[in-house]
Amino acid sequence: VRGIEVFDIKNEGRQLFSMGDAMFNYDAGDVHKADFSYSGMNISQKTLEDDGFPAEALALLPDMLPFDGEAHLRVTPKDGNAYDVEYKTASQSAPLGSLDLSVGITDLNSAALMMGMPGPAALKNFDLALSDKGASEILFTALAAEEGEKTPALLRAEAFAQVLIERETLPNDTLKNVADAMAAFIKEPGGNLRVSVAPDEPVKFMEIKSAAVMEPEKLGLTATATPAR
């Protein structure tokens, strides 16, 4: 699909949304494959304003907020109602930053999901990478505008301090390292954060919480933060 434009029905001259190119592909072979990508997507300030986004934060954004991204899903049927799932997505916006996420799950059971239970599903891998190119400034500016009595800098400092307070309640060095990375990411704008789970063997979702507390090495949990360059 190419050249999508959406205008305000009450003001036809005001564009709310546009997209340069979008592609979707689905292949129902032995492995179900779905791929989606888009480029040149733009969301207007007016759309955000109509959703109640504070004017102070809107002032930090361009008239049209650009996005590019992609997503890939692989589903492999197994015996019974079980599936293996691999999902990857990436999106970026020059005024905000970028997000990259990949998740691998094995033995995902459709019957258990319908009952709201994880069942035998296990996590194979998880990787989240965030790059802040302005998103945190906009977020804390919006929060300050809603609160009315605190500056964005003060709210950032409070969030940083709260993470450090919570850090002291964590039961092991692995979780403390995650808190340290989160605190470093929050402390200054423009940084990067990466959180990964890479167990040697898949870990059942029902066991992840206890593993994080009792056997953090079983999860292969790591977190790193790098400052702005």
Side-chain angles (χ1 to χ4, degrees):
V1 179
R2 177 169 294 175
I4 300 173
E5 295 182 323
V6 178
F7 291 87
D8 188 340
I9 153 179
K10 297 180 180 178
N11 183 351
E12 294 184 2
R14 185 171 60 201
Q15 189 179 74
L16 299 178
F17 171 87
S18 68
M19 183 179 296
D21 294 279
M23 182 279 293
F24 177 77
N25 181 66
Y26 177 71
D27 181 1
D30 293 338
V31 177
H32 299 280
K33 302 176 182 179
D35 299 286
F36 173 67
S37 64
Y38 57 92
S39 62
M41 183 174 77
N42 294 279
I43 300 175
S44 76
Q45 274 201 25
K46 179 58 181 175
T47 300
L48 299 175
E49 181 182 345
D50 290 345
D51 287 338
F53 207 65
E56 295 86 343
L58 287 174
L60 301 177
L61 296 171
D63 290 340
M64 298 295 287
L65 186 60
F67 289 91
D68 298 290
E70 59 185 289
H72 307 277
L73 178 66
R74 302 290 183 267
V75 179
T76 305
K78 302 175 73 174
D79 293 338
N81 296 315
Y83 301 87
D84 282 354
V85 177
E86 296 284 344
Y87 177 72
K88 295 182 179 180
T89 186
S91 62
Q92 51 274 331
S93 174
L96 300 177
S98 63
L99 178 151
D100 292 85
L101 171 68
S102 64
V103 182
I105 301 172
T106 187
D107 294 330
L108 188 66
N109 188 280
S110 58
L113 286 178
M114 292 178 64
M115 297 173 63
M117 301 172 62
L123 182 66
K124 294 169 60 179
N125 59 273
F126 172 90
D127 189 80
L128 172 66
L130 301 174
S131 179
D132 177 22
K133 302 299 183 184
S136 68
E137 288 280 12
I138 294 164
L139 171 62
F140 285 113
T141 298
L143 292 174
E146 292 180 356
E147 180 131 345
E149 298 181 357
K150 297 179 180 179
T151 65
L154 178 56
L155 288 177
R156 183 187 292 274
E158 289 181 347
F160 170 73
Q162 186 60 43
V163 173
L164 293 184
I165 290 172
E166 296 295 332
R167 178 191 187 278
E168 297 308 309
T169 68
L170 299 174
N172 55 62
D173 289 342
T174 298
L175 294 180
K176 289 180 187 293
N177 177 67
V178 174
D180 287 340
M182 292 177 61
F185 182 65
I186 292 171
K187 185 178 181 180
E188 300 287 346
N192 304 284
L193 175 69
R194 184 170 185 174
V195 179
S196 298
V197 178
D200 292 334
E201 298 291 338
V203 179
K204 290 185 178 181
F205 280 93
M206 295 180 66
E207 300 173 356
I208 288 178
K209 184 176 180 179
S210 61
V213 173
M214 304 298 295
E215 301 177 281
E217 67 282 352
K218 183 178 179 179
L219 291 177
L221 174 62
T222 59
T224 57
T226 55
R229 296 178 178 176

